[in-house]
């Protein structure tokens, strides 16, 4: 199960997991998830109203900086840091 799938069932279920977060930089972030949240937004796409959901996590080293969680950018590491 991916982090995103877990968050869709229970947002807080991922707090405390050690993960590898690939944000497209030189080196991925490897840290423990400190916080998780779901933000909903509303917009108009091609004239149609749309409500979207954005799943986000922060890490122990920087608990106030949130990163978006997408289908394959976060991998759970077994055994911790």
């Amino acid at each position: 199960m991916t982090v995103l799938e877990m968050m869709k069932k229970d947002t807080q279920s991922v707090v405390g997991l050690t993960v590898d977060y690939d944000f497209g930089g030189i080196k991925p972030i490897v840290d423990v998830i400190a916080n998780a949240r779901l933000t909903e937004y509303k917009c108009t796409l091609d004239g149609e109203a749309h409500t979207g959901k954005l799943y986000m996590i922060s890490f122990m080293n920087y608990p106030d900086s949130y990163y978006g969680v997408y289908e394959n950018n976060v991998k759970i590491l077994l055994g911790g840091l």
Side-chain angles (χ1 to χ4, degrees):
M1 180 176 282
T2 68
V3 171
L4 182 59
E5 290 170 335
M6 292 171 69
M7 289 182 76
K8 285 181 177 179
K9 290 182 179 185
D10 176 11
T11 306
Q12 298 304 303
S13 67
V14 299
V15 172
L17 293 177
T18 302
V19 296
D20 177 313
Y21 182 89
D22 183 2
F23 61 94
I26 296 170
K27 193 165 106 173
I29 297 171
V30 176
D31 203 349
V32 176
I33 296 175
N35 300 302
R37 69 181 181 194
L38 167 63
T39 302
E40 290 190 0
Y41 62 90
K42 296 180 188 238
C43 64
T44 303
L45 298 172
D46 296 327
E48 298 285 326
H50 174 74
T51 300
K53 294 181 179 182
L54 181 58
Y55 293 88
M56 303 184 80
I57 56 174
S58 69
F59 298 105
M60 289 292 183
N61 287 331
Y62 302 98
D64 295 327
S65 297
Y66 283 84
Y67 298 84
V69 175
Y70 306 102
E71 193 59 42
N72 295 314
N73 70 331
V74 185
K75 294 182 180 82
I76 299 170
L77 298 179
L78 299 177
L81 293 173

